Amino acid sequence: MVIRIFFALVTLAVLGLAIGSLVYILEEVEKPKVAAAREIKEAAPPKPIDPGIREYKAALKLAKNRQLAAARDKLRYIIRYFPRSERHQMARNLCSEINLDLLISPNFVEGKKDYEVVSGDSLSEIAKKHETTIECLKRLNGMMDFKIMPGDHLLTRSLNFKVSVDTKRKTLTMLEDGEFFAEFPVIDIRLPGKLRPPVQDTVRSKHALAGKSTLITTQRGYDLAPKELRFSRRGLKIVGHKQKESEDQLVQPGIIMDPTDVEELTMLLRVSTAVHIL
């Protein structure tokens, strides 16, 4: 009986020591660690607010309500002042789409003028006089051919863009009066010979490719054929190429882009437009 009591007391003592040790560890070791971690967490700066997200949501709302000019201005604000925003690239993409829609919309009159055709006029002469392109005149006025008559009224829209090709980002960017207008992705950039960036050149001519023949703007079949823009430097041009086509089908050399984007560029870029390759 005495032995049992003795062992019971010893067990209680050991248990007491264990509990005491645990309490000591919790109070003196773990508790300070938890407190220190809490202090670090509380001291950590909060994630900065991205104002570009708020502005982009506002631009989307305006676009959905067909207030395209206001939406464009909001997107330009993001592009200019919030280059690190999560919505920056999305703003560039949407702004490009809106600007192209507004450009060819007869209902949006900003930057457009009404011109009355006179005897002896041609689309090429009107385009040159108003610093635009034949392709833009046709799309803006819903024309299927080149026929015009004295007394006809045409909407005109000058096209004066600053164009740059970024070889690192693989983009072609257009500015108008210092403001973002549009940006297009570039598939590949293969400069001729030993030519290396930076390069400054100008658009010398625009052609359509019909089999082994090339067509100029006013020739039959031009509208439906694949396009290319040729620069003053021999061998330098913007050409279309579909992503799904094999690498060995790429035209050498050139600034390789999606054919749909090249089609847009033939409308937007006048002959003599300067292009900077960076």
Side-chain angles (χ1 to χ4, degrees), residues 233-246:
R233 278 185 172 82
R234 185 185 179 96
L236 184 57
K237 52 191 173 182
I238 297 176
V239 294
H241 171 79
K242 294 182 179 179
Q243 289 275 17
K244 63 182 180 180
E245 294 175 353
S246 63

Side-chain angles (χ1 to χ4, degrees), residues 23-78:
V23 170
Y24 175 82
I25 292 172
L26 290 175
E27 290 292 331
E28 303 297 329
V29 180
E30 295 301 326
K31 190 174 181 179
K33 287 183 179 180
V34 173
R38 186 180 295 113
E39 289 178 3
I40 292 173
K41 184 177 181 180
E42 291 174 352
K47 184 179 179 180
I49 297 173
D50 185 345
I53 295 177
R54 180 184 65 251
E55 298 294 334
Y56 185 78
K57 288 180 179 179
L60 280 180
K61 185 176 181 179
L62 290 168
K64 288 178 181 178
N65 292 330
R66 302 304 298 169
Q67 296 176 266
L68 297 184
R72 174 203 61 191
D73 293 342
K74 185 74 69 175
L75 294 166
R76 282 177 168 173
Y77 181 76
I78 298 170

